[in-house]
């Protein structure tokens, strides 16, 4: 099963993708949008993208991409985030990593390296690569990325021990499943009036369906116009889900409702 995720090798996305692809081929792209585009076009069987972090919240590029492309969510992978500071030695003046990793270690960095320049790069692995090439740079990434010239200077530097990231495993749209304990939908009401959000949520509350995430993103059509991402604990195979989505489609009669699919959750411990 050919899979694609954020590169280069050694990112947290790569670790999550390994749980999906196993020993099969894993290729890399430099953006979430490129990954989703490759899966939607049938270039890969699976794409793995980060969707939400327990500290920094949702990954907006991922939300926008799954709303713009016709793909299916077939699995959810939750992996703990263990950040380490890696460098050739203790003398450096720049710390490079993904913007979310830098934010997740904000307290540690402010306390231990208040004068260091923080440089946001495409991925944690890219920051580690820079540290491996340049002794004036330290990277933040998983401690397993040490070696080949760099060492772990400090482990578990994230602000919260409970730090974890959710990843979506994407597949071509025809593989969308109705089976699974969770479901994700995207709703574009193409409307704006008092009580709209309440109307969108009531179909779930009325049927005792627990919502695990509700997120709004600008539609890009006009100011104040939004697309809503809703995750909930019920499968598309359930009659209560069908009824709730039917209500959503009536509310969004001038817009659309996209069923991303139902899926189960897998926890990757290391």
């Amino acid at each position: 099963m050919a899979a694609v995720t954020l590169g280069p090798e050694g990112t947290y996305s790569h670790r999550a993708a390994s749980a999906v692809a196993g020993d099969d081929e894993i290729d890399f792209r430099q953006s979430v949008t490129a990954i989703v585009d490759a899966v939607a076009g049938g270039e890969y069987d699976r794409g793995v993208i980060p969707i939400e972090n327990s500290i920094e919240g949702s990954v907006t590029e991922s939300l926008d991409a799954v709303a713009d492309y016709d793909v299916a969510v077939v699995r959810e992978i939750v992996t703990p985030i263990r950040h380490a500071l890696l460098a050739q030695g203790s003398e450096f003046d720049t710390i490079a990593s993904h913007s979310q990793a830098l934010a997740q270690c904000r307290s540690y960095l402010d306390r231990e390296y208040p004068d260091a320049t923080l440089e946001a790069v495409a991925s944690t692995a890219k920051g580690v690569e820079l540290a491996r090439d340049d002794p004036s740079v330290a990277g933040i990434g998983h401690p397993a990325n040490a070696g080949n010239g760099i060492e772990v200077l400090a482990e578990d530097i994230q602000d919260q021990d409970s730090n974890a990231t959710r990843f979506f495993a994407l597949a071509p749209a025809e593989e969308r499943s109705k089976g699974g304990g969770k479901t994700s939908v995207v709703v574009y009401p193409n409307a704006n009036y008092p009580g709209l959000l309440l109307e969108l949520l009531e179909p779930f509350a009325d049927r005792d369906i627990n919502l695990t995430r509700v997120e709004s993103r600008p539609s890009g059509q006009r100011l104040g116009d939004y697309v809503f991402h809703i995750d909930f604990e019920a499968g598309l195979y359930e009659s209560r889900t069908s009824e709730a989505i039917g209500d959503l489609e009536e509310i969004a009669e001038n817009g659309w409702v996209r069923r991303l699919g139902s899926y189960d959750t897998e926890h990757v411990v290391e």
Side-chain angles (χ1 to χ4, degrees), residues 55-70:
I55 296 177
E56 288 301 302
S58 296
V59 181
T60 55
E61 185 186 3
S62 296
L63 297 181
D64 294 343
V66 297
D68 290 342
Y69 289 85
D70 190 15

Side-chain angles (χ1 to χ4, degrees), residues 242-264:
S242 299
E243 293 167 2
I245 292 178
D247 288 353
L248 290 183
E249 290 175 327
E250 290 185 12
I251 297 167
E253 61 179 347
N254 295 320
W256 45 262
V257 177
R258 176 170 297 161
R259 299 159 176 80
L260 295 179
S262 296
Y263 49 86
D264 289 319

Side-chain angles (χ1 to χ4, degrees), residues 150-171:
I150 59 172
E151 59 181 314
V152 174
L153 301 184
E155 287 193 47
D156 295 321
I157 63 174
Q158 63 274 3
D159 293 344
Q160 301 290 335
D161 290 339
S162 59
N163 191 3
T165 295
R166 297 171 61 218
F167 295 86
F168 275 169
L170 306 177

Side-chain angles (χ1 to χ4, degrees), residues 6-88:
L6 286 172
E9 186 175 348
T11 60
Y12 285 97
S13 294
H14 184 202
R15 300 178 73 83
S18 297
V20 173
D23 295 329
D24 292 331
E25 176 185 2
I26 299 176
D27 289 336
F28 302 103
R29 295 290 187 273
Q30 294 304 311
S31 74
V32 167
T33 302
I35 293 167
V36 180
D37 179 73
V39 174
E43 188 178 348
Y44 289 91
D45 302 311
R46 294 291 184 269
V48 176
I49 62 171
I51 201 73
E52 182 183 19
N53 177 262
S54 60
I55 296 177
E56 288 301 302
S58 296
V59 181
T60 55
E61 185 186 3
S62 296
L63 297 181
D64 294 343
V66 297
D68 290 342
Y69 289 85
D70 190 15
V71 292
V73 178
V74 293
R75 286 170 70 181
E76 177 184 77
I77 302 103
V78 178
T79 181
I81 302 300
R82 293 187 56 219
H83 287 317
L85 186 67
L86 304 108
Q88 296 183 30

